[in-house]
Amino acid sequence: MDYDQALYAIQELPQPETISCRSRPQNYYHYEQEEGVSIVPEWDLVCENNVWRTTVQVGLSIGKFLGASLFGVISDKFGRKRAFVGGAILYIVSGFLTVFTKSYVLFLLGRIGLGSSASGLFYAAFTLLTENIALKHRSWMSIMFTISYPIGMLILTLFAYLLPLWRSLQLALVVPGLLLIVHCYFLDESPRWLVSKNREKKAYKIVFGKKPNVDLIFKASKKMEDIPSAAESEAQASTLASKLKNSFKEFAGLFSTWTLRKRILICYFVWCVTSMSYYITAINADNLSANRYIYVACTGLVDIPAYIIPIFILKYTGRRLSSFGLYLAAGLSLLAVLAIPREHTNLIVAFAMFGRFGISAVYAVLTLHTAELFPTEIRNSALGTSSTMAHVGSMAAPYIVDLLGMIAWYIPTTICGTSILIAGFLSLLQPETANRDLRDHVQQEDEEKKMNS
């Protein structure tokens, strides 16, 4: 028979029954891994259960997705310190749950909790840093804060090498988290947030270490009489709908004016595509026919200078031009892969790494620029919800690499390059914030815009 005849012939034959490999007796297969090295043999995450192994990593992203918005609202509504304390408690509880649980479901819940707490801790701490440092130090200190991410990845690699058992590794990552209790004890609330909530006396005591004088108390009291307090507003909210509306007032403030709506929508898009491209360039080794170990090592090494160099770039250019330049360099590098023959693997990887360098570098600028674009009363909501959109991109990345990469190896890098260029041009529509003081209230943004016009 030729091929067509054979294909027709087998279609007429009865098909054999599909039998799951896990439905057979256990002696039909065995694990070559040592006991305790991986979660796979512990919960038999093979065959039809293979999807639950992937879900463990997705659970972390889901947690970050939920935590970014939830802790952002908590931070703007109840304070940066309370959001940080809540994130610390959730991190410790979730961490120990993943170490000692014997149930896969509880392990997955612990992973979701770890992801959620990571968002709460990172953005509450970043907002505190941004609001409590002088203008001339804001750029380099915020970028040095974000460099903790690649440093943490290097420490994780060392721990994983020294501790092959997964529970021991998880415990080694959770125990240092107990130091967060010390942080929570000594951490002060953001004075800028307190002022935005008309709590000047407490802000004064934090800044100067003593109670304010009588004149300042009188002025603060006078101001409080003119502006309704949060307690009065809550007392006026009698229905459940009114209470819910008041609880999410800070989140709604992101869309309260045309100026803020435009800013936050641009932030959502650029955060999403930047995160998507960041993760695609990290896991795209197979589509580029590169050695996995060398490729992953290169991505880690590229991230370190990528977080440091923006410190010097921001000295001479503003946030907007820095973002545009880095987006442009990254986008063109990733699109240049289309012009390189596939057999030139080293050259393709070199352009991909340069694109990743631009993406990692712009992440540091993007976080700082977003924090400066919004007033104090909604700043953490802006960072939190933008981070939520970033995790939408990170969850899409594996599907783009695995599914679209099967169709053509260059599709993932082409999607990254195109979306990154669009993000670069959209970043030019945002206002420059390099030499501008932080605003505290939404009304100040509109007043400044009217004065400029």
Side-chain angles (χ1 to χ4, degrees):
M1 297 181 185
D2 60 20
Y3 175 79
D4 291 333
Q5 290 175 331
L7 184 64
Y8 178 77
I10 63 171
Q11 287 177 347
E12 297 296 321
L13 297 175
Q15 299 298 313
E17 181 184 358
T18 301
I19 301 175
S20 167
C21 63
R22 292 194 70 250
S23 67
R24 293 179 178 270
Q26 193 168 356
N27 60 2
Y28 273 79
Y29 65 91
H30 74 280
Y31 297 105
E32 293 186 351
Q33 283 182 328
E34 295 181 9
E35 186 178 355
V37 170
S38 168
I39 64 171
V40 173
E42 184 153 345
W43 288 298
D44 288 329
L45 304 182
V46 293
C47 303
E48 67 267 27
N49 285 350
N50 188 52
V51 65
W52 297 112
R53 182 185 64 182
T54 306
T55 305
V56 169
Q57 185 60 30
V58 175
L60 199 66
S61 297
I62 292 173
K64 291 181 179 180
F65 178 90
L66 298 173
S69 293
L70 176 63
F71 281 101
V73 173
I74 291 174
S75 180
D76 285 335
K77 179 69 177 177
F78 302 106
R80 291 29 172 151
K81 181 176 180 177
R82 289 186 180 180
F84 187 90
V85 171
I89 294 172
L90 183 59
Y91 179 85
I92 294 171
V93 172
S94 300
F96 281 110
L97 179 63
T98 58
V99 173
F100 296 109
T101 184
K102 297 295 182 180
S103 166
Y104 172 82
V105 174
L106 292 179
F107 176 76
L108 182 60
L109 289 175
R111 293 281 291 177
I112 294 174
L114 284 173
S116 183
S117 63
S119 294
L121 288 167
F122 184 89
Y123 289 104
F126 183 83
T127 305
L128 270 167
L129 179 72
T130 305
E131 294 177 346
N132 286 281
I133 54 179
L135 181 61
K136 65 179 181 179
H137 298 301
R138 192 187 301 157
S139 297
W140 74 266
M141 286 189 72
S142 62
I143 291 175
M144 290 305 295
F145 179 85
T146 57
I147 206 174
S148 58
Y149 185 83
I151 292 175
M153 290 296 292
L154 294 175
I155 295 173
L156 170 64
T157 306
L158 177 62
F159 279 9
Y161 177 77
L162 297 175
L163 302 168
L165 302 182
W166 77 267
R167 289 188 187 272
S168 300
L169 174 61
Q170 188 67 46
L171 182 62
L173 299 175
V174 173
V175 169
L178 295 174
L179 292 173
L180 291 170
I181 298 173
V182 180
H183 283 69
C184 295
Y185 181 78
F186 289 103
L187 190 67
D188 287 320
E189 184 56 83
S190 169
R192 185 176 288 273
W193 179 84
L194 290 170
V195 171
S196 73
K197 297 298 182 180
N198 304 314
R199 296 164 66 181
E200 287 88 349
K201 288 188 286 186
K202 188 172 182 180
Y204 185 94
K205 187 175 181 180
I206 290 173
V207 173
F208 298 102
K210 60 181 181 179
K211 292 183 178 181
N213 57 43
V214 177
D215 292 338
L216 184 62
I217 293 175
F218 176 76
K219 291 177 181 178
S221 301
K222 190 71 176 175
K223 183 180 178 182
M224 293 288 284
E225 291 175 1
D226 299 332
I227 302 175
S229 65
E232 291 173 349
S233 300
E234 291 177 2
Q236 293 171 0
S238 55
T239 66
L240 178 61
S242 299
K243 291 179 180 179
L244 290 173
K245 184 177 179 180
N246 188 59
S247 298
F248 288 94
K249 180 181 178 182
E250 284 77 9
F251 175 76
L254 292 171
F255 303 91
S256 59
T257 67
W258 165 247
T259 300
L260 293 177
R261 280 195 295 272
K262 184 186 76 170
R263 292 182 189 179
I264 196 63
L265 290 176
I266 292 175
C267 285
Y268 287 167
F269 179 81
V270 298
W271 276 71
C272 181
V273 300
T274 304
S275 178
M276 178 190 70
S277 302
Y278 181 86
Y279 283 96
I280 286 177
T281 54
I283 62 177
N284 201 33
D286 290 345
N287 287 326
L288 301 181
S289 301
N291 181 284
R292 290 184 179 182
Y293 299 99
I294 296 176
Y295 188 88
V296 173
C298 288
T299 59
L301 292 173
V302 161
D303 278 356
I304 295 176
Y307 281 101
I308 296 175
I309 289 178
I311 297 175
F312 305 99
I313 295 177
L314 289 172
K315 278 189 174 182
Y316 304 102
T317 59
R319 285 47 163 155
R320 185 170 57 179
L321 287 179
S322 298
S323 298
F324 176 73
L326 292 169
Y327 275 129
L328 186 65
L332 293 177
S333 298
L334 293 171
L335 290 177
V337 171
L338 291 169
I340 305 173
R342 192 177 185 185
E343 56 268 20
H344 296 167
T345 302
N346 292 337
L347 189 58
I348 291 175
V349 171
F351 273 93
M353 288 299 103
F354 188 77
R356 180 176 175 81
F357 171 84
I359 293 167
S360 300
V362 82
Y363 233 135
V365 181
L366 181 61
T367 307
L368 173 63
H369 196 192
T370 303
E372 294 176 338
L373 280 172
F374 297 91
T376 302
E377 59 186 359
I378 58 172
R379 182 171 297 119
N380 220 87
S381 293
L383 282 170
T385 54
S386 295
S387 176
T388 300
M389 296 306 298
H391 294 304
V392 172
S394 67
M395 286 188 283
Y399 298 103
I400 294 174
V401 171
D402 294 336
L403 301 181
L404 299 183
M406 291 176 60
I407 300 173
W409 66 273
Y410 52 81
I411 289 180
T413 51
T414 303
I415 291 175
C416 288
T418 304
S419 59
I420 282 294
L421 285 178
I422 295 173
F425 286 106
L426 284 176
S427 66
L428 292 175
L429 300 178
Q430 301 282 50
E432 182 54 65
T433 59
N435 297 310
R436 193 186 76 161
D437 291 330
L438 296 178
R439 304 293 184 263
D440 289 326
H441 301 284
V442 173
Q443 293 82 357
Q444 291 176 306
E445 294 289 348
D446 284 338
E447 290 173 1
E448 182 181 3
K449 185 177 180 181
K450 291 177 182 179
M451 291 177 62
N452 292 335
S453 60

